[in-house]
Amino acid sequence: NAGVTQTPKFQVLKTGQSMTLQCAQDMNHNSMYWYRQDPGMGLRLIYYSASEGTTDKGEVPNGYNVSRLNKREFSLRLESAAPSQTSVYFCASSEVQGRINQPQHFGDGTRLSIL
Amino acid sequence: AQSVTQPDIHITVSEGASLELRCNYSYGATPYLFWYVQSPGQGLQLLLKYFSGDTLVQGIKGFEAEFKRSQSSFNLRKPSVHWSDAAEYFCAVGADTGFQKLVFGTGTRLLVSP
């Protein structure tokens, strides 16, 4: 099925370890996003990429870096994981058609625990 | 900057009863509005969207929402709830930009009682 694929689905890290979360979409969308979801806080935007070759900070970028590897792939890296980064991470993608912003499509998430 | 408020953290509805989930937004221009649903352990699925035009929009799974500019609201409704509707529901507002940054509400968890 077409959509947004995130790997891994689950991960446990120790404080200070590094990790890269992978995201790939096969819908030929220009824009991609990384969110984190925490209880009672909804989804908060970490970073986004409006198009291939560009990335920008969202609401909560501290402690993260991103790479838009190509049009399909957008990775999120934790250089030195901290317990506060324990969360569920979602990748999403979207497209503009006829100047209308189309809804974002979401992956199933990566559940990350940092001990 | 845009913002979204979902005032109800939890709502319990009997199966077969009607449902209304509240969403209020803050945005200076015409917003793009969305409702997403999230089942446990899953990602977010789009229920419906409002971009312009008819203020009553129909979505999947029998849901509808009404955009009321005067009240800055975009409430989600369903006439008869099914047990499978139990999930978390998120309202989101997007700015009219080329790539659509979304701001999400904190979500409303729907419980369906038999």
Side-chain angles (χ1 to χ4, degrees), chain A residues 4 71 84 100:
Chain A
V4 179
K71 191 171 185 179
S84 61
I100 298 296

Side-chain angles (χ1 to χ4, degrees), chain A residues 31 33 35 37 40-43 45 48 50 57-58 90 94 96 99-109 111, chain B residues 32 34 36 38 40-46 49 51 88 90 95-107:
Chain A
S31 304
Y33 315 81
Y35 294 89
Q37 183 180 29
M41 303 191 74
L43 277 77
L45 184 64
Y48 62 92
K57 295 178 180 179
F90 288 98
S94 70
V96 175
R99 298 185 62 192
I100 298 296
N101 299 293
Q102 298 303 308
Q104 293 180 17
H105 294 253
F106 286 81
D108 286 338
R111 285 146 186 82
Chain B
Y32 291 178
F34 307 86
Y36 285 87
Q38 184 182 32
Q42 301 295 312
L44 278 72
Q45 180 184 22
L46 179 71
K49 65 190 182 204
F51 286 171
E88 189 152 22
F90 292 93
D96 184 12
T97 63
F99 52 85
Q100 191 202 106
K101 289 174 65 176
L102 289 183
V103 172
F104 285 83
T106 53

